[in-house]
């Protein structure tokens, strides 16, 4: 660390300080959310460190097969799940956990229960793990609204009832983007301090963008409105320039870019997957929550994404999210289609 150069930046807004400041606005708050968040942050730091070392795995046996001590090493996505489940349970602030990695919800034992339910994808974009492309953790938080035995009904609620949502992107830098319902704020991990520092306060998505992001390999199976929209992106008839295509194939990376640069991210329904691919609780809802908080929109092809009421914990939905004006265009195309039918 260059101490002389760093001396001028000692008044850092860490994520903990930021959340404590927010908490002080609510005198009745007992700090439960701050404690929960600090456990999520710990999970993110742990996974970030494991992801950074993943490329060395074959050399020194960090993931995959057996290490020198003869212990079985875990795959990164399984390891990340264990890390988050343990971090969330040990916070003492959760009752129900839903993870992409686990078929069933986890109900925390009564002595360790708290007032929050957390839905999460511990390591999203898993097909990108082995080639070092950005991947991430996505999470959404609900409040438990009763003191009876918790059930899956406590998370089968519309996204607009989430109290917070966010993601951590393990990319060229490690960034945690969070909303507690008062805007969207981005924190970058300073590896020399081991702290997430507020680097992107009050993120607002541009009202209109010039990038579209979709897996065009599925184009032949798309429905009419999606096909027309993507055609318009490439061959606009109103004299505007064509949009650029960017698709990483990691939702966190594609949504992060969309949030910062504007544009639209689409994972539509198609003939093979009539409900799309992405999962409502821990992909569609948290990202839609962040988009709306940043001034954008999120639409399923039928309605506002956050108004969906999931019936199953691993349910899927088509999703179109991003800049307000760009999502408005796809909404108009679906409305026209509906009028025809
Ligand atoms: P992955 O399959 O690599 O885990 O839902 C998971 C996800 O990645 C998203 O992160 C990503 O946006 C999407 O699937 C990519 O799907 P396609 O490969 O079908 O484009």
């Amino acid at each position: 660390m260059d101490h002389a150069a760093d001396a001028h930046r000692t008044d850092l807004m860490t994520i903990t300080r930021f959340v404590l400041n927010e908490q002080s606005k609510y005198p009745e708050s007992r700090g439960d959310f701050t404690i929960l968040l600090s456990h999520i942050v710990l999970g993110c730091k742990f996974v970030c460190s494991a992801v950074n070392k993943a490329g060395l795995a074959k050399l020194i046996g960090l993931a995959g097969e057996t290490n020198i001590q003869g212990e079985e090493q875990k795959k990164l996505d399984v390891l990340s799940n264990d890390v988050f489940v343990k971090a969330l349970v040990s916070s003492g602030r959760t009752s129900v956990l839903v993870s992409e990695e686990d078929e069933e919800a986890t109900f925390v034992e009564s002595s360790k229960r708290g007032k929050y339910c957390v839905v999460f994808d511990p390591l999203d974009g898993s097909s990108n793990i082995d080639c070092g492309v950005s991947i991430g953790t996505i999470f959404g938080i609900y409040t438990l609204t009763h003191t009876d035995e918790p059930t899956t009904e406590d998370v089968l609620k519309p996204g607009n009832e989430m109290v917070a949502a966010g993601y951590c992107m393990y990319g060229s830098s490690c960034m945690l983007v969070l909303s507690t319902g008062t805007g969207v704020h981005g924190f970058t991990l300073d590896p020399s301090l081991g702290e997430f520092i507020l680097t992107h306060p009050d993120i607002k998505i541009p009202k209109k963008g010039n990038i579209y992001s979709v897996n065009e390999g599925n184009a032949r199976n798309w429905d009419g409105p999606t096909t027309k929209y993507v055609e318009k992106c490439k061959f606009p008839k109103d004299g505007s320039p064509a949009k650029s295509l960017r698709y990483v194939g990691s939702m966190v990376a594609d949504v992060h870019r969309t949030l910062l640069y504007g544009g639209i991210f689409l994972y539509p329904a198609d003939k093979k997957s009539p409900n799309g691919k992405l999962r409502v609780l821990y992909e569609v809802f948290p990202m839609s929550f962040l988009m709306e908080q940043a001034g954008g929109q999120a639409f399923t092809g039928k309605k506002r994404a956050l108004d969906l009421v999931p019936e199953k914990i691993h349910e899927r939905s088509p999703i179109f999210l991003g800049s307000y004006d760009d999502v408005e265009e796809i909404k108009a195309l679906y409305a026209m289609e509906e009028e025809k039918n």
Side-chain angles (χ1 to χ4, degrees):
M1 194 197 266
D2 180 345
H3 293 288
D6 281 349
H8 70 280
R9 47 170 215 125
T10 47
D11 189 25
L12 299 171
M13 181 61 83
T14 64
I15 193 163
T16 312
R17 185 175 158 199
F18 180 86
V19 176
L20 282 170
N21 278 356
E22 291 280 298
Q23 185 194 313
S24 65
K25 294 178 194 158
Y26 305 94
E28 71 287 359
S29 165
R30 290 171 39 235
D32 289 321
F33 183 79
T34 310
I35 292 171
L36 172 63
L37 191 76
S38 70
H39 282 249
I40 293 178
V41 164
L42 179 66
C44 293
K45 286 183 196 169
F46 193 111
V47 173
C48 178
S49 154
V51 168
N52 286 341
K53 290 180 216 155
L56 297 169
K58 287 203 179 69
L59 276 181
I60 54 173
L62 286 170
E65 287 143 26
T66 317
N67 68 8
I68 10 173
Q69 287 86 31
E71 296 161 337
E72 181 75 10
Q73 293 292 295
K74 289 178 180 164
K75 289 241 173 254
L76 263 184
D77 40 6
V78 178
L79 174 78
S80 306
N81 190 42
D82 289 357
V83 166
F84 277 101
V85 170
K86 288 207 176 98
L88 291 167
V89 171
S90 67
S91 74
R93 300 299 183 279
T94 59
S95 283
V96 187
L97 309 178
V98 170
S99 164
E100 195 265 350
E101 286 287 327
D102 297 323
E103 211 172 306
E104 307 290 341
T106 300
F107 297 99
V108 178
E109 65 178 81
S110 53
S111 63
K112 292 185 180 152
R113 268 182 211 157
K115 67 173 181 187
Y116 293 106
C117 305
V118 183
V119 290
F120 60 103
D121 188 345
L123 203 55
D124 189 72
S126 45
S127 58
N128 280 317
I129 295 177
D130 290 339
C131 59
V133 168
S134 299
I135 44 184
T137 299
I138 311 174
F139 59 91
I141 303 174
Y142 290 102
T143 309
L144 195 69
T145 49
H146 57 82
T147 49
D148 303 337
E149 199 58 22
T151 69
T152 49
E153 292 307 310
D154 294 310
V155 290
L156 294 175
K157 292 176 170 181
N160 58 45
E161 289 187 26
M162 281 185 169
V163 291
Y167 60 78
C168 185
M169 186 176 70
Y170 312 110
S172 52
S173 58
C174 177
M175 219 180 143
L176 200 150
V177 175
L178 174 73
S179 177
T180 54
T182 52
V184 179
H185 307 283
F187 303 82
T188 307
L189 183 64
D190 180 335
S192 62
L193 298 173
E195 289 275 11
F196 281 100
I197 309 295
L198 181 64
T199 47
H200 296 63
D202 201 15
I203 298 171
K204 292 285 174 232
I205 183 169
K207 191 152 181 289
K208 191 170 174 60
N210 53 17
I211 298 173
Y212 72 106
S213 185
V214 66
N215 183 343
E216 282 216 64
N218 297 328
R220 69 177 168 161
N221 291 319
W222 288 343
D223 62 15
T226 301
T227 308
K228 272 192 207 130
Y229 181 76
V230 172
E231 190 71 3
K232 257 179 99 179
C233 291
K234 296 198 270 196
F235 306 103
K237 294 209 173 88
D238 58 2
S240 58
K243 288 192 193 301
S244 291
L245 168 64
R246 298 280 185 274
Y247 189 69
V248 177
S250 247
M251 190 188 196
V252 173
D254 284 315
V255 170
H256 186 64
R257 183 202 54 247
T258 306
L259 195 62
L260 296 186
Y261 294 175
I264 188 164
F265 168 83
L266 310 75
Y267 210 111
D270 64 42
K271 280 183 213 133
K272 281 204 288 181
S273 323
N275 294 320
K277 175 179 183 190
L278 302 181
R279 313 291 184 140
V280 172
L281 275 183
Y282 40 81
E283 291 182 312
V284 169
F285 278 174
M287 295 312 200
S288 300
F289 188 94
L290 292 167
M291 277 298 160
E292 286 199 4
Q293 285 291 321
Q297 297 198 72
F299 176 64
T300 65
K302 290 198 172 89
K303 55 160 94 167
R304 175 187 175 214
L306 291 179
D307 288 342
L308 271 178
V309 186
E311 286 172 10
K312 295 193 190 117
I313 58 173
H314 296 296
E315 193 167 307
R316 301 169 197 265
S317 168
I319 185 70
F320 305 87
L321 53 77
S323 292
Y324 192 96
D325 288 355
D326 294 315
V327 178
E328 210 52 25
E329 275 185 41
I330 190 102
K331 279 165 83 177
L333 291 168
Y334 273 99
M336 270 159 61
E337 180 87 350
E338 188 131 312
E339 265 170 36
K340 273 198 273 165
N341 297 328

